[in-house]
Amino acid sequence: MRLAKPGLPRDMGVMSDRSYDVAIIGAGHNGLTCAAYLAAAGLKVIVLEKNEVVGGAALTEEFHPGFRNSVAAYTVSLLNPKVIADLELEKHGLRILERPAANFWPIDAKRGLLMPYGLPERQKAIAAFSKRDAERLPAYDAALERAAAVLRDLVLRTPPNAGGGILELIKAAGLGRRLLGLSLDDQRLLVDLFAKSAADYLATWFESEIVQGAFAFDGIVGAYASPFTPGTAYVLLHHCFGEVNGKPGVWGHAVGGMGAITQAMCAAAQARGAGVRTSASVAQVKVAEGRACGVELESGETIHARAVAANIPPKLLFRDLVPDGAIAPELRARFVGMKTGSGVFRMNVALSELPDFLCLPGKEPRAHHGSGIIIGPTISYLERAYLDARLHGWSREPIVEMLISSTLDPALAPPGRHVASLFVQHVAPHLPNGRSWDEAKDEFADLVIDTVTRHAPNFKASVIARQVLSPLDLERRFGMVDGDIFHGQLSLDQLFFTRPVLGYADYRMPVPGLYLCGSGAHPGGGVTGVPGHNAAREIIRDLRGWFRGR
């Protein structure tokens, strides 16, 4: 089965009529995952994608002649191993390479923190800033791993629904037994990680502001928040439960960019019989007799289906696609009022040479060039970036994570040249004083280039071309309301049985026959495939009549 490519016809393996068991809105990674599981269960499935190519935010494209890179999503770790195995993604062409080192923090002209893999090596790197922190690292790692083990168990479960009846009580009781079976110390640990700020949690472990800042970075990735904001300790944990090639805590690169993941998922779904249509923008969910019964496309075409699964943000779904009167106005307001906004700005740059860092000189490829290069040297730097954005609209000293993907995947750039992803925080989803991101994004992009150049003086001159995506661009292109890469913030009131809204955590939405299969559902954002996996399980149960859905 060949992979779906932009040049293929708009109807790829579509059934001849317009009536399906399930219509899926959005061919991002979760929509394709959901489709593959549903089709494998024998259901007739159609996936509808508004853009000309599948993939959603997990997409690779050429942004300058000869230079290709991941457009929005940019790194691999959280992709669930069960999803990889069940969908046989390796059979469909997916290959993931491990970074040679985890991360690299340039600090000043002389100092940098290169974080390798392996506990002894990490302790040695940290000891350069604090011997005490190096000694504390094993206990910190062990605590996070215990919490991550609980989280890994929970992510593949359907959360219990408040007010959902006897089945939900049984489900909640099972969860309660799982949590009460933990030691008192581990119960305290989970409370800390779910309720505290990343800064407060890390301060109980480490004394060096540089070491605290290094670990706190994971607590603000995709979160428009200060590291001192309560709840960011959970965001830190959320980014710690992944693995690559069976190795926990390792980060990787999909050969061919993030689009290679969704191309493999598309091939898996089609091999199981799912239909996929691109350039098929959904205008409205069709509701008849109180139940979702299909969708209407922008073209006016109607697709009939027994169920509809939405791989789009819940705020977008209920604001724009669910008809007025389908649910109570108060409930609609709950969905539309979800907290959104990641404070994220994305860039891709074509480079004539590798950056030559002051603290680690050299333009020949080395381990730090293949790691996650993070401009954000201290926890106070991370906080100032957030406060700046809230006050001025963007950080005057932004946080930048740069991945030079061509160091691992040379085919992404011409020989001797390179491509880099820049994941930048913090920016306000909406600029103050009525200013538009359309007029401001190049000004901020210049600041980002200058920020990296302070640490690598050759960087600015090496930039051949750039691709720039503001929060507004992310919303327009990928439907990420307010540029929210998680489809809704990972705050305590929007997690597990309260995600997206209390009472609707089991992937079933308040319109019968309508389901949520994207990152706005449990367990949240990142390229995991888990919301699509879990939603498919519930849809199959309902359509097969294993128990009565709402």
Side-chain angles (χ1 to χ4, degrees), residues 345 393-394 428-444 470-473 476:
F345 191 95
W394 62 59
H430 305 279
L431 292 174
N433 304 317
R435 195 178 185 195
S436 169
W437 270 113
D438 286 337
E439 62 180 276
K441 66 181 181 180
D442 283 330
E443 180 183 346
F444 182 70
S470 71
L472 182 58
D473 294 320
R476 286 172 176 160

Side-chain angles (χ1 to χ4, degrees), residues 261-489:
I261 297 173
T262 47
Q263 291 293 309
M265 288 175 166
C266 184
Q270 290 176 300
R272 289 157 173 77
V276 180
R277 289 181 60 178
T278 56
S279 299
S281 181
V282 173
Q284 188 179 68
V285 174
K286 300 292 288 182
V287 178
E289 298 180 355
R291 183 177 182 86
C293 60
V295 298
E296 181 180 331
L297 304 184
E298 293 283 0
S299 65
E301 178 185 355
T302 296
I303 305 292
H304 301 283
R306 297 168 62 200
V308 175
N311 180 34
I312 59 175
K315 179 180 280 191
L316 178 64
L317 175 64
F318 286 93
R319 186 190 71 190
D320 296 352
L321 300 190
V322 173
D324 290 341
I327 62 173
E330 297 82 3
L331 185 53
R332 180 189 292 272
R334 285 278 182 180
F335 282 96
V336 175
M338 282 186 69
K339 292 185 294 186
T340 51
S342 293
V344 166
F345 191 95
R346 267 291 277 121
M347 296 175 64
N348 288 304
V349 291
L351 301 174
S352 62
E353 61 184 4
L354 290 173
D356 186 4
F357 289 95
L358 291 170
C359 64
L360 202 54
K363 292 185 284 187
E364 292 301 313
R366 294 171 60 187
H368 67 284
H369 288 119
S371 70
I373 302 165
I374 301 169
I375 311 298
T378 65
I379 202 160
S380 59
Y381 184 107
L382 304 185
E383 183 184 27
R384 285 196 307 273
Y386 169 72
L387 296 176
D388 253 8
R390 292 302 300 261
L391 186 61
H392 303 290
W394 62 59
S395 309
R396 290 173 292 185
E397 293 182 297
I399 304 160
V400 183
E401 181 180 18
M402 179 165 62
L403 296 179
I404 310 173
S405 46
S406 52
T407 60
L408 299 174
D409 190 359
L412 294 175
R417 305 294 178 93
H418 289 278
V419 292
S421 302
L422 279 68
F423 180 86
V424 188
Q425 292 183 263
H426 286 290
V427 297
H430 305 279
L431 292 174
N433 304 317
R435 195 178 185 195
S436 169
W437 270 113
D438 286 337
E439 62 180 276
K441 66 181 181 180
D442 283 330
E443 180 183 346
F444 182 70
D446 289 341
L447 175 62
V448 173
I449 298 295
D450 289 341
T451 299
V452 178
T453 303
R454 284 203 298 272
H455 295 274
N458 70 322
F459 184 72
K460 186 173 184 175
S462 73
V463 175
I464 300 168
R466 69 191 192 189
Q467 179 184 43
V468 177
L469 295 172
S470 71
L472 182 58
D473 294 320
L474 292 171
E475 178 165 352
R476 286 172 176 160
R477 187 164 181 185
F478 303 115
M480 296 173 170
V481 179
D482 296 327
D484 196 313
I485 64 173
F486 292 157
H487 292 193
Q489 292 181 5

Side-chain angles (χ1 to χ4, degrees), residues 4-192:
K5 296 180 180 179
L8 290 177
R10 291 184 177 182
D11 291 352
M12 301 181 289
V14 180
M15 298 77 168
S16 58
D17 61 30
R18 297 177 182 173
S19 183
Y20 300 87
D21 291 313
V22 186
I24 297 176
I25 305 171
H29 80 282
N30 276 311
L32 294 168
T33 297
C34 187
Y37 280 105
L38 293 173
L43 297 174
K44 190 177 178 184
V45 182
I46 183 72
V47 186
L48 303 162
E49 169 57 43
K50 72 168 186 171
N51 292 320
E52 294 181 356
V53 59
V54 301
L59 175 70
T60 304
E61 70 179 16
E62 185 177 72
F63 66 95
H64 186 70
F67 294 85
R68 296 185 303 126
N69 206 16
S70 304
V71 177
Y74 63 102
T75 192
V76 183
S77 179
L78 301 180
L79 185 58
N80 192 272
K82 184 176 188 299
V83 172
I84 294 173
D86 289 352
L87 271 57
E88 301 178 296
L89 296 184
E90 292 181 358
K91 171 185 170 183
H92 292 288
L94 180 63
R95 183 181 171 216
I96 300 174
L97 301 177
E98 300 161 24
R99 294 185 196 170
N103 291 312
F104 166 55
W105 286 264
I107 297 166
D108 52 35
K110 295 183 178 180
R111 298 180 302 162
L113 171 58
L114 177 62
M115 193 75 79
Y117 297 123
L119 180 59
E121 292 78 8
R122 293 168 66 231
Q123 284 183 288
K124 182 178 179 180
I126 288 173
F129 301 93
S130 168
K131 291 183 178 179
R132 177 186 178 275
D133 289 354
E135 292 169 357
R136 295 279 284 161
L137 184 63
Y140 172 80
D141 281 356
L144 274 191
E145 178 51 36
R146 294 197 307 275
V150 176
L151 190 62
R152 290 189 194 101
D153 181 39
L154 295 181
V155 295
L156 292 172
R157 296 190 183 201
T158 297
N161 255 339
I166 186 64
L167 290 175
E168 302 305 319
L169 287 174
I170 293 170
K171 199 184 298 179
L175 171 64
R177 285 193 296 271
R178 171 73 174 91
L179 297 180
L180 289 174
L182 300 174
S183 69
L184 188 58
D185 283 345
D186 281 355
Q187 291 181 44
R188 292 186 183 118
L189 171 63
L190 287 178
V191 170
D192 284 347

